[in-house]
Amino acid sequence: MKKVRFGVVGIGSMGTMHITNLQCRVPNAEVIAVCARTLSRVKEVQEKFGIPHGYTDYDEMLKNPDIDAIVIATGADAHKEQCIKASQANKHIFCEKPLAKSVEDCKEIEAEVAKNEGKLFTVGFMRRFDPSYAEAMRKIRAGEIGAPILFRGVSLDPASVLDAHLEGVKKGIYVPWFIEMGSHDTDLARWFLRGEPVECFATGGAYVCKGLADYDDYDNGFSLTKFDNQTTAYIQVGRTGTCSHVESEIVGTCGTLRINSVPRKNYISQFTGKGVLEECQESFLERWGTAFYNEMENFTNCILENRQPEITAKDGTGSLEFCLKLHDAYLAGKK
Amino acid sequence: MKKVRFGVVGIGSMGTMHITNLQCRVPNAEVIAVCARTLSRVKEVQEKFGIPHGYTDYDEMLKNPDIDAIVIATGADAHKEQCIKASQANKHIFCEKPLAKSVEDCKEIEAEVAKNEGKLFTVGFMRRFDPSYAEAMRKIRAGEIGAPILFRGVSLDPASVLDAHLEGVKKGIYVPWFIEMGSHDTDLARWFLRGEPVECFATGGAYVCKGLADYDDYDNGFSLTKFDNQTTAYIQVGRTGTCSHVESEIVGTCGTLRINSVPRKNYISQFTGKGVLEECQESFLERWGTAFYNEMENFTNCILENRQPEITAKDGTGSLEFCLKLHDAYLAGKK
Amino acid sequence: MKKVRFGVVGIGSMGTMHITNLQCRVPNAEVIAVCARTLSRVKEVQEKFGIPHGYTDYDEMLKNPDIDAIVIATGADAHKEQCIKASQANKHIFCEKPLAKSVEDCKEIEAEVAKNEGKLFTVGFMRRFDPSYAEAMRKIRAGEIGAPILFRGVSLDPASVLDAHLEGVKKGIYVPWFIEMGSHDTDLARWFLRGEPVECFATGGAYVCKGLADYDDYDNGFSLTKFDNQTTAYIQVGRTGTCSHVESEIVGTCGTLRINSVPRKNYISQFTGKGVLEECQESFLERWGTAFYNEMENFTNCILENRQPEITAKDGTGSLEFCLKLHDAYLAGKK
Amino acid sequence: MKKVRFGVVGIGSMGTMHITNLQCRVPNAEVIAVCARTLSRVKEVQEKFGIPHGYTDYDEMLKNPDIDAIVIATGADAHKEQCIKASQANKHIFCEKPLAKSVEDCKEIEAEVAKNEGKLFTVGFMRRFDPSYAEAMRKIRAGEIGAPILFRGVSLDPASVLDAHLEGVKKGIYVPWFIEMGSHDTDLARWFLRGEPVECFATGGAYVCKGLADYDDYDNGFSLTKFDNQTTAYIQVGRTGTCSHVESEIVGTCGTLRINSVPRKNYISQFTGKGVLEECQESFLERWGTAFYNEMENFTNCILENRQPEITAKDGTGSLEFCLKLHDAYLAGKK
């Protein structure tokens, strides 16, 4: 069986998850190299997953001719340089979202990877690989809801992680929520609506974690966006949910699809004196484990079958551009 | 507009509810007479509802030639005599369930009302008039689930009324739960399955209100019954529910209908830190108000259009016979 | 028992429904007069409901000294004059929504009824009387979701009535949907959020019934509104629903309430080869019958107990002002 | 990292799934040997999963001293001999359900493995490892529903596989449904109720696939069982479901847990002209993939930590004994 040989840069929680999927679960994939700043951490991961090559120098890893594809799982700051170098080294590239920190950087990446002939490039918008989202798109393409006219995306983090977030904001680690969490919903909006945003209006505030306001950040953002094809996107992001809740809706001219309206944690319904209770999803991975796996399986198969992934660098640019519009609309509304 | 003129005997909670529906809501009905033991109570109801005639003597009421139909809303003990007399007085008759206390008494009623030519007789199995049950039957008759093979009926009272119940049992007011609550489920089983019970098996116990065991009573009863047409009924009655919960299911050879699986009190879903909560039905009337209204509207219309109600005296007998079988099976299992 | 004596003007579907509730169901109410343009229709309603006085001249009806309260159930065009005259005749007044056709007219009504000392005035925002909405407000006032920050209101008519609507629009009978249907959601937004709209953004289009575009109308409208107290309202109105669907959500700082997310028609869940199916609400009255009853019961009791209804003329003005803002925002977006 | 080294006998769908989990997903497990009748098939599996040792002779495999544990994934006919031999070879043993074909065989296994000191033995009742079932048990142990009094288990296969089943029955491959599918529900009943069955009553029939009746088999079976601790089990098995549906309920004295009442396939709710639709689980693995993984992970960890798995040989015996009682009760009822 032919296997795609991967090199992974970045071994935080996202990098480790991709390594786990590629090395232990996706049949046609193997991770043969890993790169991060701290040597001890590199060695630890090598040993845990049986990865032959370890690097602290990204350029060195790119020189390894056995590596077919690079997975970039570092912070957004590093993406532009890492994408461009991997492209110049003629590797297939998977880059985590957001593609970069600015639209200009995204466009530089786009230009560079366009030159990387015969090699694939994709961005980690994993929600598209969740079975429910994939099935929703299949139904839409089959005409089951007519023409989509509204995408509604709600992405909420539980309030329990709010204080930790403020600390991150103070240290400059985190970007505002319309950009961080919103990157998924902006991608879904563009994917389902097949159009581009032309005008955004946004409201919201730092209602619970008031300290966020000092950093032009917020714990709840609400937005409405007009698209160039007469469709509309309502995107709501928040950090004060009662659980981890990502809900999406696509309203069509003759039917509607809702995904995860009730974010059930499991299959239990509990009859209590207060009513019937369904416990909710608490964490990110609990909800998206399958999507992350499918994402890597799909990328591996695209490489083996030499077909371009549906998600392109242009989608990375489009999503970021939309996120920044939402954030700017929010700031404009605050004045 | 021609109106049916009713006389009502028994003005407890059931009698008062029937009077309210007949006098204030059903367009073609009016209550012109009411009868109960206590004169002051009779006068009070007359005044409240504008009822011209009041009686403390049932025989006197029956002599009133303006009364077209009698509603019997007294306790089961009184039903036989009241049915027979009303039949002999040539009135249309609506009798509350259970039809009587013994199968023999039921059969005497059946025999008598058979002679009451041109007059209608029916029993208060109101669940059949609930919109969901009526629609379920419509779907079944339309073949949407194929041939029914299983009826599952679960009828639970909330634990909050358990102590009051034990007091009633001690005073001899209440009959065991397979007979009292079960009368509805036994009727539904016969209605949906179109057959008769031939063999019952029952278990259960006085798990929470242990005092009930001294009276051959129980707070939970579970039963399985084989019908003469190869179908089956599972009937579960209980007094320790977290709410007032009546759930029914009809399994067919190619589809299944469930009614009120989640006994939602209203249209609210509440997202809380413990999960998504739906509050539940707390009381009898909250769930069945429409059914009680439809029941009286239907009876009034049957009289006006001179058509026999679907529920006959035989259904009253059939339901009681089945209830007693379940209770006997429970007692047999305890030995 | 003291009864409030009502005179009703307008006997279309709304007027007839109010008469039915007042005359046949609300214990302390009676309809003693009815007024409409067509004499034969007035006589018909008088006979059907046993109403002693019939009028084709509204001024004549107002001269009847036995009438305590007027219910105005005519079209919005007539409201201003009818409210002012009833106020000058010193009657209690219930006026259907929308209060008038322009904010100026609303304010004239406000000014006039303010002079009608000792008499009550209210507007027909019946959703507030639906048990689920009333309970939602109770929970919010009890602090169960913290401070409300978002109201989301979705009101959809089924596509089945779309052609009839276009005909009405052509004849000038109907007002655009943000104004007609939106009047309820704008009232709810103001009620739940306790603020006033300051800036609106709207999109949408005539996606299915393209003819509507010629009349500045649309079959779907989406809007986001910033309130003066840092809260937000998302209001979506449509005429292309798969059923009659009114859904509301109130997001608070520590909890969320959703009302009627799944617009179940009854208590049935049907297991079919395609999945589990829950049939949906098809009509307006199927959903809101209890709310309309409660509305009239509440108004009757307010009169008897001499307490001002929660909904004031100012709410009528506020709702209309908001509706017009939404419609204007929609038109602005189209340019 | 210390790994448990497995040998697997039987490489049909179950064996292959266990190999996949052990070899590719459970971190501390590796499959070093595989055994089946057909050499070519053995080699194929060895190659696919990188398994060093392949056997067609079970005795030979048992002689391999590097094997720590045996997974028996053959048909029930073979279990007794394979368990006993593996036990005599001093291996840890995981045996698929049902443990054997008769209670006597089960007891022989029990006796033999009792002698296999220091080694673990368990049976494949994987439902206990499904996150929802595990969480339900956790809630019960925490007292959230009081004392369990009823277990209701419904296990339905979709009608689509009914014809294939009849063919299998004709060839003698399949055992009746109360024994095959029922083995899971009988185990769950014993697990949740902590008691043993003392009396069973069963009904049902070959309603759709009438040919099954010739083989004392049926497409629907309904049963009620009295337990020795005053609790009750309702077990329903069927082959005519609209989907693959396993639902369980545990009724306690002060609360109730339901698992998978609506067997949703994914997170989508589709609004259609017929109502709101939720598609259902179609296949076995779609529902239980996580449970099968957890089962193997747990067995591996039990071996590494030298602790006895919760499921013992006695549970295998108890489940089979209960299944046979149900099947006998069904046959008795048919006479």
Side-chain angles (χ1 to χ4, degrees):
Chain A
M1 182 173 55
K2 186 164 166 28
K3 289 195 175 191
V4 178
R5 292 155 302 177
F6 284 89
V8 177
V9 59
I11 50 178
S13 64
M14 294 300 287
T16 309
M17 189 194 51
H18 290 315
I19 291 171
T20 306
N21 280 323
L22 289 169
Q23 186 74 328
C24 313
R25 294 180 191 156
V26 176
N28 297 298
E30 62 184 320
V31 180
I32 64 165
V34 66
C35 174
R37 257 169 296 190
T38 317
L39 183 62
S40 61
R41 180 85 182 99
V42 168
K43 284 190 181 301
E44 190 186 323
V45 169
Q46 278 188 270
E47 190 174 348
K48 178 169 178 194
F49 291 98
I51 299 170
H53 305 286
Y55 302 90
T56 54
D57 180 336
Y58 181 64
D59 296 329
E60 285 305 307
M61 180 166 81
L62 289 180
K63 285 180 192 154
N64 183 332
D66 292 338
I67 297 175
D68 300 312
I70 297 291
V71 168
I72 298 171
T74 50
D77 285 330
H79 289 180
K80 185 177 81 169
E81 192 186 336
Q82 288 171 345
C83 282
I84 288 173
K85 284 180 168 175
S87 185
Q88 288 167 347
N90 202 221
K91 306 293 187 189
H92 300 288
I93 302 164
F94 171 96
C95 181
E96 260 308 328
K97 55 107 266 192
L99 180 53
K101 295 275 280 191
S102 71
V103 172
E104 294 65 39
D105 285 0
C106 289
K107 290 195 169 165
E108 278 190 57
I109 296 172
E110 274 191 55
E112 189 62 42
V113 302
K115 299 180 206 154
N116 189 13
E117 227 166 302
K119 298 295 171 176
L120 311 179
F121 184 91
T122 196
V123 186
F125 294 123
M126 52 74 191
R127 286 190 192 172
R128 298 197 194 188
F129 295 96
D130 176 74
S132 296
Y133 284 87
E135 173 67 7
M137 184 50 109
R138 198 202 56 71
K139 283 174 181 284
I140 290 168
R141 285 175 177 158
E144 292 192 26
I145 65 164
I149 59 177
L150 175 76
F151 169 79
R152 179 169 69 90
V154 178
S155 294
L156 306 179
D157 250 20
S160 51
V161 297
L162 196 47
D163 288 343
H165 175 72
L166 179 57
E167 289 315 300
V169 168
K170 285 180 179 169
K171 289 176 190 152
I173 303 175
Y174 295 133
V175 294
W177 214 214
F178 267 132
I179 303 172
E180 178 63 35
M181 179 63 103
S183 66
H184 287 295
D185 285 303
T186 51
D187 178 61
L188 291 177
R190 294 177 65 255
W191 190 45
F192 283 120
L193 297 178
R194 297 171 164 258
E196 294 294 340
V198 291
E199 197 182 349
C200 301
F201 180 78
T203 67
Y207 300 104
V208 172
C209 184
K210 296 184 197 301
L212 287 170
D214 300 338
Y215 302 85
D216 276 349
D217 206 346
Y218 33 89
D219 52 35
N220 278 273
F222 314 110
S223 70
L224 197 67
T225 299
K226 193 168 139 179
F227 268 53
D228 58 3
N229 59 358
Q230 306 301 324
T231 62
T232 299
Y234 171 78
I235 293 178
Q236 174 184 343
V237 293
R239 295 180 177 285
T240 61
T242 52
C243 62
S244 175
H245 190 189
V246 172
E247 178 182 4
S248 303
E249 180 178 20
I250 307 103
V251 175
T253 47
C254 64
T256 286
L257 297 170
R258 288 190 178 174
I259 303 170
N260 202 32
S261 281
V262 179
R264 298 175 179 89
K265 182 189 180 67
N266 53 34
Y267 293 101
I268 298 179
S269 303
Q270 184 166 4
F271 285 66
T272 75
K274 301 213 160 183
V276 175
L277 187 75
E278 295 189 306
E279 295 186 0
C280 292
Q281 295 152 11
E282 284 165 277
S283 83
F284 193 67
L285 280 180
E286 187 178 8
R287 172 67 183 89
W288 303 106
T290 304
F292 281 118
Y293 172 82
N294 290 349
E295 177 183 62
M296 279 301 145
E297 188 192 41
N298 175 71
F299 186 49
T300 303
N301 290 338
C302 281
I303 294 171
L304 287 171
E305 300 161 15
N306 194 31
R307 50 182 171 83
Q308 169 58 35
E310 191 182 65
I311 302 169
T312 65
K314 211 171 171 58
D315 290 319
T317 310
S319 164
L320 182 71
E321 201 162 7
F322 190 177
C323 288
L324 294 173
K325 264 181 202 280
L326 293 177
H327 183 63
D328 290 348
Y330 174 82
L331 293 183
K334 282 290 139 188
K335 274 173 200 157
Chain B
M1 181 171 55
K2 186 162 167 27
K3 288 194 174 190
V4 178
R5 292 157 303 178
F6 284 90
V8 177
V9 59
I11 49 178
S13 65
M14 294 299 286
T16 308
M17 189 195 50
H18 289 316
I19 290 171
T20 305
N21 280 324
L22 289 169
Q23 187 74 327
C24 313
R25 292 180 192 158
V26 177
N28 297 298
E30 63 184 320
V31 179
I32 65 165
V34 66
C35 174
R37 259 170 295 192
T38 316
L39 184 61
S40 60
R41 181 83 182 102
V42 169
K43 282 191 183 300
E44 191 186 322
V45 169
Q46 279 188 268
E47 191 173 346
K48 179 168 179 195
F49 291 98
I51 300 170
H53 306 286
Y55 302 90
T56 54
D57 181 336
Y58 182 62
D59 296 330
E60 285 304 307
M61 181 167 79
L62 289 180
K63 285 181 192 155
N64 184 332
D66 292 338
I67 298 175
D68 299 314
I70 297 293
V71 168
I72 298 171
T74 50
D77 285 328
H79 288 181
K80 185 176 81 169
E81 193 186 335
Q82 288 171 346
C83 282
I84 287 173
K85 284 181 168 174
S87 184
Q88 288 167 348
N90 203 221
K91 308 293 188 190
H92 300 288
I93 302 165
F94 171 97
C95 182
E96 261 307 328
K97 56 107 267 190
L99 181 53
K101 296 274 283 190
S102 71
V103 173
E104 294 67 36
D105 285 0
C106 288
K107 291 196 169 163
E108 277 189 57
I109 296 173
E110 273 192 54
E112 189 60 42
V113 301
K115 299 180 208 156
N116 188 12
E117 227 167 299
K119 299 294 171 176
L120 311 179
F121 184 91
T122 197
V123 186
F125 293 124
M126 52 75 191
R127 284 188 192 171
R128 297 198 194 185
F129 296 96
D130 176 74
S132 295
Y133 284 87
E135 173 69 7
M137 184 50 109
R138 198 201 57 70
K139 283 175 182 286
I140 290 168
R141 285 175 177 157
E144 292 192 25
I145 64 165
I149 57 175
L150 176 76
F151 169 79
R152 178 169 69 91
V154 178
S155 294
L156 306 179
D157 250 20
S160 51
V161 298
L162 197 46
D163 288 342
H165 175 72
L166 178 58
E167 289 315 299
V169 167
K170 285 180 179 170
K171 290 176 190 153
I173 303 175
Y174 295 133
V175 294
W177 213 216
F178 267 132
I179 302 172
E180 178 63 33
M181 179 63 104
S183 66
H184 287 296
D185 285 303
T186 51
D187 178 63
L188 291 177
R190 293 177 64 256
W191 190 45
F192 283 120
L193 297 178
R194 299 171 163 258
E196 296 294 341
V198 290
E199 195 181 352
C200 301
F201 180 78
T203 67
Y207 300 105
V208 172
C209 184
K210 297 183 196 301
L212 286 171
D214 300 336
Y215 301 85
D216 276 349
D217 204 347
Y218 34 87
D219 51 35
N220 278 274
F222 314 111
S223 70
L224 196 67
T225 300
K226 192 169 141 179
F227 268 53
D228 58 4
N229 60 358
Q230 306 301 325
T231 63
T232 298
Y234 170 77
I235 293 178
Q236 174 183 343
V237 293
R239 295 179 176 285
T240 61
T242 52
C243 62
S244 174
H245 190 190
V246 172
E247 176 182 4
S248 303
E249 179 177 20
I250 308 103
V251 176
T253 46
C254 64
T256 286
L257 297 169
R258 289 190 177 175
I259 303 171
N260 202 33
S261 281
V262 179
R264 298 175 180 90
K265 181 191 181 66
N266 53 33
Y267 293 100
I268 298 178
S269 303
Q270 183 166 5
F271 285 65
T272 76
K274 300 212 160 182
V276 176
L277 187 75
E278 295 190 305
E279 295 186 359
C280 292
Q281 296 154 10
E282 284 165 277
S283 83
F284 193 67
L285 281 179
E286 187 177 9
R287 172 66 183 89
W288 302 106
T290 304
F292 281 119
Y293 171 82
N294 290 348
E295 177 182 60
M296 279 300 145
E297 188 192 42
N298 176 71
F299 185 49
T300 302
N301 289 339
C302 281
I303 294 172
L304 287 172
E305 299 161 15
N306 194 31
R307 50 181 171 82
Q308 170 57 36
E310 192 182 64
I311 303 170
T312 64
K314 213 174 168 57
D315 289 320
T317 310
S319 164
L320 182 70
E321 202 163 6
F322 189 178
C323 287
L324 295 173
K325 265 180 200 278
L326 293 177
H327 183 63
D328 289 350
Y330 174 82
L331 293 184
K334 283 290 139 187
K335 274 172 205 160
Chain C
M1 181 171 57
K2 185 160 167 33
K3 288 194 174 191
V4 178
R5 291 156 304 178
F6 283 90
V8 176
V9 59
I11 50 179
S13 65
M14 294 299 287
T16 309
M17 190 193 51
H18 289 316
I19 290 171
T20 306
N21 280 324
L22 289 169
Q23 187 75 326
C24 313
R25 293 181 191 155
V26 176
N28 296 300
E30 65 185 318
V31 180
I32 65 165
V34 66
C35 174
R37 258 170 296 190
T38 316
L39 184 61
S40 60
R41 181 83 181 101
V42 169
K43 282 191 181 303
E44 192 186 321
V45 169
Q46 280 188 267
E47 191 174 346
K48 179 168 178 195
F49 291 99
I51 299 170
H53 305 287
Y55 303 89
T56 54
D57 181 337
Y58 180 64
D59 296 330
E60 285 305 307
M61 181 166 79
L62 289 180
K63 285 180 193 157
N64 184 331
D66 292 339
I67 297 175
D68 299 314
I70 298 292
V71 168
I72 297 172
T74 51
D77 285 330
H79 289 179
K80 185 177 82 171
E81 194 187 333
Q82 288 170 347
C83 282
I84 288 173
K85 283 180 169 176
S87 185
Q88 288 167 347
N90 203 220
K91 308 292 189 191
H92 300 288
I93 302 165
F94 171 97
C95 182
E96 260 307 328
K97 54 107 263 187
L99 181 52
K101 296 274 282 190
S102 72
V103 172
E104 294 67 36
D105 286 0
C106 289
K107 291 196 168 162
E108 278 189 57
I109 295 172
E110 274 191 52
E112 190 61 44
V113 303
K115 300 180 207 155
N116 188 13
E117 227 166 301
K119 299 294 170 177
L120 311 179
F121 184 92
T122 197
V123 186
F125 294 124
M126 52 74 191
R127 286 189 191 172
R128 296 198 195 186
F129 295 96
D130 176 75
S132 295
Y133 284 87
E135 172 69 7
M137 184 50 108
R138 197 201 57 70
K139 283 174 182 285
I140 289 168
R141 286 177 177 157
E144 293 192 25
I145 65 165
I149 58 175
L150 175 76
F151 170 79
R152 179 169 69 92
V154 178
S155 293
L156 306 178
D157 250 20
S160 51
V161 299
L162 196 47
D163 289 343
H165 175 72
L166 178 58
E167 288 315 300
V169 168
K170 285 180 179 170
K171 290 176 191 153
I173 302 174
Y174 295 133
V175 294
W177 214 214
F178 266 132
I179 303 172
E180 178 63 34
M181 178 63 103
S183 66
H184 287 296
D185 285 303
T186 51
D187 178 62
L188 291 178
R190 293 178 64 255
W191 190 45
F192 283 120
L193 297 178
R194 297 172 164 256
E196 295 294 340
V198 291
E199 195 182 351
C200 301
F201 180 77
T203 66
Y207 300 105
V208 172
C209 183
K210 297 184 196 300
L212 286 170
D214 300 336
Y215 301 86
D216 276 350
D217 205 347
Y218 34 87
D219 52 33
N220 278 274
F222 314 111
S223 70
L224 196 67
T225 300
K226 193 169 139 179
F227 267 53
D228 59 3
N229 59 359
Q230 305 303 324
T231 63
T232 299
Y234 170 77
I235 293 180
Q236 174 184 344
V237 293
R239 295 180 174 285
T240 61
T242 53
C243 62
S244 175
H245 190 189
V246 172
E247 177 182 3
S248 303
E249 180 177 19
I250 308 101
V251 176
T253 45
C254 65
T256 286
L257 296 169
R258 288 189 177 175
I259 303 171
N260 202 33
S261 280
V262 179
R264 298 175 179 90
K265 180 191 181 66
N266 53 34
Y267 293 100
I268 298 178
S269 303
Q270 184 166 4
F271 285 66
T272 76
K274 301 213 159 182
V276 175
L277 187 75
E278 295 191 304
E279 295 186 358
C280 291
Q281 296 154 10
E282 283 165 277
S283 84
F284 193 67
L285 282 179
E286 187 177 9
R287 172 68 183 87
W288 303 105
T290 303
F292 281 118
Y293 172 82
N294 290 349
E295 177 183 60
M296 280 300 145
E297 189 193 40
N298 176 71
F299 185 49
T300 302
N301 290 338
C302 281
I303 294 171
L304 287 172
E305 299 161 16
N306 194 33
R307 50 181 171 83
Q308 170 56 37
E310 190 181 65
I311 303 169
T312 65
K314 214 174 169 57
D315 289 319
T317 309
S319 164
L320 182 71
E321 201 163 5
F322 190 178
C323 287
L324 295 173
K325 263 181 203 278
L326 293 177
H327 183 62
D328 289 348
Y330 173 82
L331 294 183
K334 282 291 138 186
K335 275 172 203 159
Chain D
M1 181 172 54
K2 187 166 166 27
K3 289 192 176 195
V4 178
R5 291 157 303 177
F6 284 89
V8 177
V9 60
I11 51 179
S13 63
M14 293 300 286
T16 309
M17 189 193 52
H18 289 316
I19 290 170
T20 306
N21 280 323
L22 289 169
Q23 186 74 327
C24 312
R25 294 180 191 157
V26 176
N28 296 299
E30 64 184 317
V31 180
I32 64 165
V34 64
C35 173
R37 256 170 298 191
T38 317
L39 183 62
S40 61
R41 181 84 182 101
V42 169
K43 283 189 180 304
E44 191 186 321
V45 169
Q46 279 187 267
E47 190 174 347
K48 180 170 176 193
F49 290 98
I51 299 170
H53 305 287
Y55 303 89
T56 54
D57 180 337
Y58 182 63
D59 296 330
E60 286 304 308
M61 181 167 80
L62 290 181
K63 284 180 193 156
N64 184 332
D66 292 338
I67 297 175
D68 300 311
I70 297 292
V71 168
I72 298 172
T74 50
D77 285 329
H79 289 179
K80 186 177 80 169
E81 193 187 334
Q82 288 171 347
C83 282
I84 287 174
K85 284 179 168 176
S87 185
Q88 288 167 347
N90 202 221
K91 308 294 188 189
H92 301 288
I93 303 165
F94 171 97
C95 182
E96 261 307 327
K97 55 108 263 186
L99 180 54
K101 298 274 281 189
S102 71
V103 174
E104 293 67 38
D105 285 0
C106 289
K107 291 194 169 164
E108 279 190 55
I109 296 172
E110 275 191 52
E112 188 62 42
V113 302
K115 300 180 208 154
N116 188 12
E117 227 165 302
K119 299 294 171 175
L120 311 179
F121 184 91
T122 196
V123 185
F125 293 124
M126 53 75 191
R127 285 189 191 171
R128 299 198 194 186
F129 295 96
D130 176 74
S132 295
Y133 283 88
E135 173 68 7
M137 184 50 109
R138 198 202 55 71
K139 283 174 181 285
I140 290 168
R141 286 176 177 159
E144 293 192 26
I145 65 165
I149 59 176
L150 175 77
F151 170 79
R152 179 169 69 91
V154 178
S155 293
L156 306 178
D157 249 20
S160 51
V161 298
L162 197 46
D163 288 343
H165 175 71
L166 179 58
E167 289 315 300
V169 168
K170 285 179 181 172
K171 289 176 191 153
I173 304 175
Y174 295 133
V175 293
W177 214 214
F178 267 132
I179 302 172
E180 177 63 34
M181 179 65 102
S183 66
H184 287 295
D185 286 302
T186 52
D187 178 62
L188 291 178
R190 294 176 65 255
W191 190 43
F192 283 120
L193 298 178
R194 298 171 164 258
E196 295 293 340
V198 289
E199 195 181 352
C200 300
F201 180 79
T203 67
Y207 300 104
V208 171
C209 183
K210 295 183 197 300
L212 287 171
D214 300 337
Y215 302 85
D216 276 350
D217 204 348
Y218 34 87
D219 51 35
N220 278 274
F222 314 111
S223 70
L224 197 66
T225 300
K226 194 169 139 178
F227 267 53
D228 58 3
N229 59 357
Q230 306 300 325
T231 63
T232 299
Y234 170 77
I235 292 179
Q236 173 184 343
V237 292
R239 294 179 175 286
T240 62
T242 53
C243 62
S244 174
H245 190 189
V246 172
E247 177 183 2
S248 303
E249 180 178 18
I250 308 102
V251 176
T253 46
C254 65
T256 286
L257 296 169
R258 288 190 177 175
I259 303 170
N260 203 32
S261 281
V262 179
R264 298 176 179 89
K265 181 191 181 68
N266 53 34
Y267 293 100
I268 297 179
S269 303
Q270 185 166 5
F271 285 66
T272 76
K274 303 213 158 181
V276 176
L277 188 75
E278 295 190 306
E279 296 186 359
C280 291
Q281 295 153 11
E282 285 165 275
S283 82
F284 192 68
L285 280 179
E286 187 177 9
R287 171 67 182 90
W288 302 107
T290 304
F292 281 119
Y293 171 82
N294 290 347
E295 176 182 63
M296 279 301 146
E297 189 192 40
N298 176 71
F299 186 50
T300 303
N301 289 337
C302 280
I303 294 172
L304 287 171
E305 299 160 16
N306 195 30
R307 50 181 170 84
Q308 170 58 35
E310 190 182 64
I311 302 169
T312 64
K314 210 172 171 58
D315 289 319
T317 310
S319 164
L320 181 71
E321 200 162 8
F322 189 178
C323 288
L324 295 172
K325 263 180 202 277
L326 293 177
H327 183 61
D328 289 348
Y330 173 82
L331 293 184
K334 283 290 139 187
K335 273 174 203 158

